[in-house]
Amino acid sequence: METKSIEFNKNEDAMNLAIAAVQHKLEKIYQGGGKARIEKLHAEGKMTARERIEKLIDPGSHFFEIGAFAGYQMYEEHGGCPAGGVVAGLGKIHGRLCIIVANDATVKAGAWFPITGKKNLRAQEIAMENRIPIIYLVDSAGVYLPMQDEIFPDKEHFGRIFRNNARMSSMGIPQIAAIMGSCVAGGAYLPIMSDEALIVEKTGSIFLAGPYLVKAAIGEEVDQETLGGASTHCEISGVTDYKMPDDATCLATIRKLVSQMGSFPKAGFDRIQSEPPAFPPHEVSGIFPENPTKPYDTLELLKRIVDNSELTQYKAEYGKTIICAYARIDGWSVGIVANQRQVVRNAAGEMQFGGVIYSDSADKATRFIMNCNQKKIPLVFFHDVTGFMVGKRSEHGGIIKDGAKLVNAVANSTVPKFSVVVGNSYGAGNYAMCGKAYDPRLIVAWPTAKIAVMGGAQAARVLTQIQVATLKSKGKAPDPKAEQELYETIKKRYDDQTTPYYAAARLWVDAIIDPRKTREFISLGIEMADHGVVEKFNPGVIQT
């Protein structure tokens, strides 16, 4: 695309507006429970969750936040839950990459909503997959009682966190917990099941039951500090390991502890000297179309992301609706699997519509994924897919079998996988391109992403047709006006549910990122994954 064209400028303006909208929403989320609650926290001598993280990580380094949109527009009948009431992400401490999880006490006193539990489990999953230390900055009132049935008893609820504490200990993954506020009931197990626990004097407290419950249960009257304060647990019970005078000293001590940790052997992913793309990365904003139905050349996007803008395409003339290529990103060797939304011709000269996976493109991607596993090359998926091709010809050609081979290869892949949803990610196409269900080490979305079983207009047409057919079967003539209203209602609901905000609120993606920073995200992800273990690839029942 001509980078000075009117179309390029329109695309760039639309993308910049979308990026600004994301940032505007984030700025509000960063306020947590609001200015008044932040001021109250400061008056108690405590830092906010984000201030604690800023003090903990290396000065001037970047904190990649995971799940900032968790809980977005959810639980509004309960007053909302910005960022899920907990801040989590990847940051460096003395140059060492760590997962940091900090309760936000300005949001319902740090109480756990269902999405809070899911977000904590996601953070622990990242630590376990990549064998990196995890730091908990605890300041929570425990389970949000009005929703206890949605957070307490199930396999992926609150208790799973303590199970993960135990599993990480057995795996040798360091866990450090700082009790910087309230830590009560079941939540008391998290810091004490960590390897080391610090507690801040006067503000930190930990007990299975607080003073009021103790009074009700056994009639004993005791104040909070005597029951479970820093002196009690550092001098009498021995439950905690370090007594800290304030937040700043506590965080500085954690930094010292991390600085003395040993390291696991690296996975050994290939990396050479990084080279910038030959084309400016910011140009992705002008290449990706404002109109989500318009074709564009995915290769032009990739050239703004990979080193020297160089890609070695695998089977370049075959299965053209998926691009498979070897490249480097910030020096790291990667295998790229990306949907091509141009209208292209296959090897037989027949037209194929971009954004759709055909049998030949599924076959190509399957083979490429197997090759990357054999060579121990991390995989990066770029989603802009409407699904697999349908119709008589595709079914007769075995599209289900070819699609199953691709899904099998993605599911059994053992090299780290990273997903970037740039546009559509619909139906089984989401699965084939390593959606959340297929264990990407990290998955992010551009502001232009759409994730659903199908697009809003398509879903509305299907459901409207079903409704109309049902009426006709009952001998009732459909009202054209009512039919159109039904279509619009369904379409709006689907459109609302396909936005990247809806996906990020439910942690279907880890973050919504600025497209111009895609390169940095992938590099960070591979650096993280290089701490982990790569198991031997077993392709299962793939028949090629």
Side-chain angles (χ1 to χ4, degrees), residues 38-220:
I38 291 172
E39 289 174 350
K40 182 181 178 183
L41 211 64
H42 287 163
E44 294 170 359
K46 296 163 69 174
M47 299 179 185
T48 66
R50 295 181 187 280
E51 289 167 345
R52 287 168 175 166
I53 291 172
E54 186 67 25
K55 194 81 173 175
L56 181 62
I57 63 175
D58 293 342
S61 66
H62 175 65
F63 178 69
F64 178 72
E65 186 167 352
I66 291 164
F69 280 98
Y72 179 70
Q73 294 184 337
M74 297 169 65
Y75 314 120
E76 291 185 344
E77 68 276 22
H78 297 275
C81 186
V86 62
V87 184
L90 290 157
K92 288 189 175 179
I93 302 174
H94 283 287
R96 180 162 188 150
L97 198 59
C98 299
I99 280 280
I100 303 167
V101 182
N103 297 113
D104 187 348
T106 70
V107 180
K108 291 286 192 296
W112 289 56
F113 283 69
I115 198 66
T116 317
K118 187 173 183 179
K119 187 170 174 178
N120 275 264
L121 289 171
R122 176 61 178 144
Q124 290 182 320
E125 179 182 46
I126 291 169
M128 287 190 285
E129 283 183 330
N130 301 287
R131 294 196 308 181
I132 57 177
I134 184 165
I135 315 296
Y136 307 100
L137 306 180
V138 186
D139 193 346
S140 171
V143 167
Y144 183 60
L145 293 178
M147 302 186 75
Q148 65 85 26
D149 60 322
E150 297 181 48
I151 180 64
F152 171 65
D154 211 341
K155 181 178 178 180
E156 294 187 348
H157 283 176
F158 194 60
R160 186 78 170 184
I161 290 160
F162 316 134
R163 175 264 188 193
N164 287 349
N165 286 142
R167 292 289 300 129
M168 279 189 276
S169 286
S170 73
M171 295 166 70
I173 297 169
Q175 300 176 81
I176 297 175
I179 301 157
M180 309 182 82
S182 178
C183 188
V184 63
Y189 286 106
L190 184 146
I192 307 312
M193 291 189 72
S194 298
D195 300 303
E196 294 181 283
L198 305 87
I199 185 168
V200 179
E201 291 184 275
K202 296 183 174 59
T203 56
S205 60
I206 179 169
F207 30 64
L208 292 181
Y212 293 116
L213 185 53
V214 168
K215 171 71 173 174
I218 63 173
E220 182 180 55

Side-chain angles (χ1 to χ4, degrees), residues 10 52 56 219 246 268 375 420 462 507 513 534:
K10 282 177 64 179
R52 287 168 175 166
L56 181 62
D246 50 41
K375 299 174 184 179
V420 183
V462 170
L507 294 173
I513 67 167
V534 178

Side-chain angles (χ1 to χ4, degrees), residues 314 322 324 326 335-337 362-377 379 381 405-415 417 431-434 537 542:
Y314 173 78
I322 286 185
C324 296
Y326 299 107
I336 292 172
V337 181
D363 174 68
K364 177 171 89 170
T366 300
R367 293 169 183 266
F368 181 72
I369 290 166
M370 294 171 72
N371 287 348
C372 287
N373 273 269
Q374 184 184 44
K375 299 174 184 179
K376 202 161 80 170
I377 298 174
L379 286 158
F381 294 81
K405 291 176 185 177
L406 176 53
V407 170
N408 194 324
V410 173
N412 284 305
S413 175
T414 55
V415 294
K417 305 182 292 271
Y431 304 156
M433 294 298 293
C434 194
F537 176 61
I542 297 174

